[in-house]
Amino acid sequence: MFKLWQFGGGVHLDTHKTESTGRPLRDAGLPEHLILPLQQRGTSTAKPVVAPGERVLRGQLLARDENPLNPPIHASTSGIVKAIEDLPLPHPSGLPGPCLVIEVDGEDEGLAQEPMEDVRDLPVEELRRRIHEAGIVGLGGAAFPAAVKVDPGARRRIDTLVLNGAECEPYITCDDSLMRHYPDDVLGGAEILLHILGAERCLLGIEDDMPEAIAALEAAKASGGYERIEIVPVPAVYPTGGEKQLIKVLTGREVPAGGIPADAGIVCQNVGTAAAIHRALVHGESLTSRIVTVTGPGVRKPQNLMVRIGTPIAHLIAQCGGYTEHAQRLILGGPMMGLALPSDELPIIKAANCVLVAGSELVTGEKQALPCIRCGECATTCPVNLLPQQLYWYSRADNLDRAVEHHLADCIECGCCDFVCPSHIPLVQYFRAAKAQVTARQRERDKAAHAKTRFEFREQRKEREKLEKAESARRKKELLERVQNDAS
C-alpha cells in the first residue's frame, strides 16, 4: 500500500466529467485558418522567421525568441502565411497582440521527421535543447517552458519526478483522455525525464475517479517494463492537481514558500507535457497539437478533441454540434481557475486545456456580493494555509505591504475561498488585482533603483573626469614652469 499524505483545506466538487468522457476522443479537423499569437508568455514576443505569402509545412518553425522563457512557435498544418498583424489575444481583456495568421490549404503536408532509436545516445544538454526547439511548454495550464523546468541547476539534486495526472477541476478531462488513449507516450516521456534529471523514481499521481486511465497506464507499464514508475491513485479532492498539493500528497514534502519543487528534490510535470516530450524526442514532432476538452451545458456534444494549436474556438464549437440555449459565457479552463473570454474567434494556444461553455448556474459574477461576516470558512478550505479574509481586507484597503506580509504571493488562485464564501465575495479577483499592483510597484522600484544607479555612475564619471582634467592642467603647468626655468 503506497502511503499518502494530506494537505490542509480543499473542497469536494461536482466533477461533471462524464459529459465529455462519454464520447470518444476525435480529431477536430482542419479549420480554415490558424491564429498563432507571437506573445506566448509574459511580455516577450517571438520574431517571425517567415513572411506573408510564404507557404509553410506542418512542423515548420514560424517564430522564435532569444528569451528561453518564450519557446519557438511552429506551423500546426500546411498553408500560406496570410498576415502578421495585431489581433485579439485569448485573454479576458481581449487586448490585441501580434499574431501570425495561416490560411490552411487542407493538404496537411508536414516536414520530414527524424525519429530516434534511443534518446540516451545523446547528451542531456542536447536533449534539453531539442525539447526547447520543439516548442514544448507545460500543458497543465501554466505553459512554463519544459526545457527550463528540467534544468534545476547543478546545486539541486532531484530524486523524484512527479507526473501530474490529477485533473481536479470540474469538467476538464483532456488529461484523462490522454492517459486512456496514449499511455505509452506518457510513460515513455516519464522515462526520458528520469534520464534527463538523473532521478531515481517517478510517481504518477492520478485521481481515483479515473478507472479507465488507471487501467490503461497499468497495462502499458506491465508491457513496457517501466519499473521505476509508480502509478498512484489519489483522492479526488480539489485542488489535488495543484503542483504543491500533489507533491505533498505523494511525498509528504513541503515546497518552501517562495521556492520551487526542485528545492525539495522534486520536478513536477503534467502528463501531457511528458507525452509531448516523448513525441518530440522519439518521433521528432514539434508541439503543434494537443487534446482540448470542449464541454459545459452550453455546447450540444461535449467531448475531447485533438486540436491544432491556433484553431479558432468557433471551429471547435461547430465540431461539437454548436451552442445550446443554455450558453451564457465562454471560459478558457475550468470553472474554478479559468478565464472568461469575450469571443469564440480567439484561438487555442498551447496552455488551453478546456473550453467551457458555461450556463447561468456557473456565471457566479451575477451573484450579489455581501459584506464579509468573518465566518472563517475561507481559511478552513485554503489549501495553502493562508488567511483569505485578512488578504481581502488588506487588498481592499490597498494595504499591499500587509498583504505581502500575509503571503499574498503564495495564493495559487484555486478559488476554494470563493466557492465556500457565504457572502459571494470574489476573493480571488481581489488577490489577482493585488498581485498585479505588487508586481507593478516592484517594477517601478526596480526602474527607480536602475535610474539611481545610472545617475550615481554618471556623477562618479563626471567627478573622475574633473579630477583628470585638473591633474592634466597641473602637469602642463609644471612642465611650462620647468621649461621657463630652463630658458632663464
Side-chain angles (χ1 to χ4, degrees):
M1 178 71 72
F2 190 92
K3 180 179 180 180
L4 296 177
W5 283 261
Q6 289 184 327
F7 60 87
V11 293
H12 291 273
L13 302 170
D14 293 333
T15 61
H16 294 284
K17 303 280 190 178
T18 56
E19 286 93 327
S20 53
T21 57
R23 292 184 173 85
L25 173 68
R26 55 179 287 256
D27 195 311
L30 298 175
E32 293 182 356
H33 63 277
L34 299 171
I35 302 172
L36 296 157
L38 299 178
Q39 188 176 316
Q40 296 274 321
R41 184 178 176 82
T43 58
S44 183
T45 301
K47 294 180 175 56
V49 297
V50 295
E54 186 175 340
R55 183 171 188 258
V56 296
L57 305 180
R58 174 169 40 82
Q60 182 174 336
L61 178 67
L62 298 178
R64 64 183 314 137
D65 188 2
E66 294 181 356
N67 187 341
L69 296 179
N70 198 13
I73 300 168
H74 303 81
S76 304
T77 187
S78 59
I80 304 296
V81 178
K82 185 178 179 182
I84 301 173
E85 59 185 353
D86 282 356
L87 293 172
L89 300 177
H91 186 271
S93 68
L95 291 173
C99 297
L100 196 149
V101 183
I102 296 177
E103 191 174 67
V104 175
D105 62 15
E107 297 182 15
D108 197 26
E109 185 179 355
L111 291 177
Q113 297 168 357
E114 300 179 1
M116 294 178 62
E117 290 291 331
D118 191 345
V119 300
R120 288 169 294 190
D121 292 339
L122 292 177
V124 168
E125 281 304 318
E126 174 63 14
L127 295 178
R128 292 194 186 108
R129 188 191 69 79
R130 291 196 180 198
I131 291 173
H132 174 77
E133 291 300 319
I136 297 174
V137 299
L139 298 184
F144 191 80
V148 176
K149 204 168 186 179
V150 297
D151 188 9
R155 68 181 180 83
R156 296 189 180 100
R157 180 182 176 276
I158 306 301
D159 59 53
T160 302
L161 166 69
V162 168
L163 280 197
N164 192 343
E167 196 167 39
C168 58
E169 266 220 64
Y171 288 100
I172 306 176
T173 58
C174 60
D175 289 345
D176 186 359
S177 182
L178 172 78
M179 291 184 285
R180 291 187 194 193
H181 295 88
Y182 302 99
D184 291 304
D185 282 343
V186 174
L187 299 186
E191 278 292 340
I192 294 171
L193 289 168
L194 284 171
H195 170 66
I196 293 175
L197 296 167
E200 299 155 8
R201 62 172 181 168
C202 170
L203 304 177
L204 195 162
I206 178 171
E207 288 197 315
D208 55 14
D209 60 356
M210 302 180 187
E212 293 87 354
I214 293 173
L217 289 169
E218 291 288 3
K221 177 185 173 182
S223 61
Y226 299 105
E227 296 179 354
R228 293 189 294 169
I229 301 174
E230 187 86 22
I231 298 163
V232 187
V234 297
V237 178
Y238 181 80
T240 302
E243 185 175 70
K244 294 181 179 179
Q245 286 66 45
L246 184 59
I247 289 173
K248 172 69 175 179
V249 170
L250 292 176
T251 69
R253 300 180 195 175
E254 299 273 2
V255 178
I260 60 176
D263 294 328
I266 295 170
V267 165
C268 183
Q269 291 280 10
N270 175 264
V271 289
T273 313
I277 288 173
H278 184 261
R279 301 297 303 179
L281 297 185
V282 176
H283 301 282
E285 297 176 4
S286 299
L287 181 57
T288 59
S289 62
R290 65 159 299 152
I291 298 177
V292 178
T293 304
V294 182
T295 187
V299 65
R300 295 192 183 283
K301 297 178 181 178
Q303 58 193 299
N304 283 291
L305 299 171
M306 184 64 78
V307 178
R308 311 297 177 109
I309 306 297
T311 300
I313 290 173
H315 176 83
L316 305 185
I317 298 298
Q319 296 297 307
C320 293
Y323 294 110
T324 71
E325 65 277 16
H326 303 294
Q328 292 284 324
R329 180 174 296 174
L330 273 176
I331 297 174
L332 190 66
M336 302 298 286
M337 301 181 72
L339 302 173
L341 297 179
S343 165
D344 61 8
E345 291 302 318
L346 297 167
I348 290 296
I349 55 177
K350 295 177 181 179
N353 55 4
C354 177
V355 174
L356 174 60
V357 188
S360 57
E361 71 279 6
L362 288 175
V363 183
T364 56
E366 294 181 357
K367 294 179 180 177
Q368 179 67 42
L370 302 172
C372 174
I373 58 174
R374 293 186 178 273
C375 63
E377 285 296 315
C378 54
T380 303
T381 56
C382 178
V384 197
N385 299 321
L386 300 178
L387 297 172
Q389 76 274 28
Q390 290 300 122
L391 290 175
Y392 164 64
W393 289 113
Y394 293 137
S395 301
R396 185 176 176 179
D398 203 25
N399 191 345
L400 298 179
D401 289 333
R402 291 291 287 165
V404 170
E405 289 173 6
H406 278 69
H407 308 288
L408 172 68
D410 287 342
C411 172
I412 61 174
E413 303 177 16
C414 63
C416 284
C417 52
D418 278 9
F419 180 76
V420 299
C421 179
S423 296
H424 309 303
I425 300 173
L427 296 164
V428 172
Q429 291 187 33
Y430 279 98
F431 303 155
R432 285 174 178 164
K435 285 181 179 180
Q437 291 180 53
V438 169
T439 301
R441 188 179 65 175
Q442 185 59 46
R443 191 179 298 121
E444 290 301 316
R445 287 177 176 173
D446 291 343
K447 286 173 62 178
H450 182 63
K452 181 182 179 184
T453 300
R454 291 185 60 186
F455 173 78
E456 292 175 347
F457 179 79
R458 187 181 65 179
E459 292 300 305
Q460 291 173 358
R461 177 174 55 81
K462 289 169 65 175
E463 181 64 22
R464 184 176 66 252
E465 291 175 350
K466 181 180 177 182
L467 294 174
E468 289 173 351
K469 287 181 179 178
E471 177 64 16
S472 177
R474 185 187 65 78
R475 290 177 178 175
K476 286 182 179 179
K477 182 179 180 182
E478 287 181 354
L479 179 62
L480 181 61
E481 290 175 350
R482 193 180 307 126
V483 171
Q484 290 175 344
N485 291 335
D486 292 343
S488 61

